[in-house]
Amino acid sequence: LKGDIERLVVGHVPHGDCPTVIRSGDVMVVMGDTSYSKMGHKTTEKNVKGEEVTWVDNRGDAVSEVLVYLDGSVRVHGVLSTGEKVDYNLFRE
């Protein structure tokens, strides 16, 4: 990439319940949007009138944090939609 870019972290492309990492040479791309981790999940709440309302809430239960450090390493940690914890580090090659 131009300008010596080695790390690219992107969102707004929901894809699963754990960030996806793609490497090519010195470039690492981390796709971190896990907002559709539970497709079709139904949520029921009461509205302001006290009526029960049910809707499909695709956000799911997964959450992750992507940390990019000054030395170029990346740490991903969080919880999958199954409740399993993930925690891994990615280093420069």
Side-chain angles (χ1 to χ4, degrees):
L1 291 175
K2 291 182 180 180
D4 296 324
I5 294 172
E6 294 180 354
R7 303 292 174 265
L8 181 63
V9 180
V10 298
H12 296 286
V13 182
H15 63 277
D17 66 350
C18 186
T20 299
V21 179
I22 300 170
R23 282 187 170 189
S24 179
D26 292 335
V27 178
M28 180 189 304
V29 178
V30 180
M31 298 184 301
D33 188 345
T34 60
S35 61
Y36 283 3
S37 64
K38 197 168 186 181
M39 297 296 290
H41 173 71
K42 292 184 180 177
T43 298
T44 301
E45 289 184 347
K46 290 189 177 181
N47 63 17
V48 292
K49 297 178 183 177
E51 306 163 329
E52 279 197 355
V53 178
T54 302
W55 70 94
V56 175
D57 177 3
N58 290 326
R59 291 174 292 178
D61 302 324
V63 62
S64 292
E65 180 177 39
V66 177
L67 302 168
V68 181
Y69 297 103
L70 292 175
D71 67 358
S73 63
V74 175
R75 177 181 178 210
V76 177
H77 68 103
V79 180
L80 303 178
S81 59
T82 61
E84 180 182 355
K85 292 182 181 180
V86 293
D87 192 346
Y88 55 90
N89 295 295
L90 304 159
F91 300 99
R92 295 175 110 167
E93 293 185 357

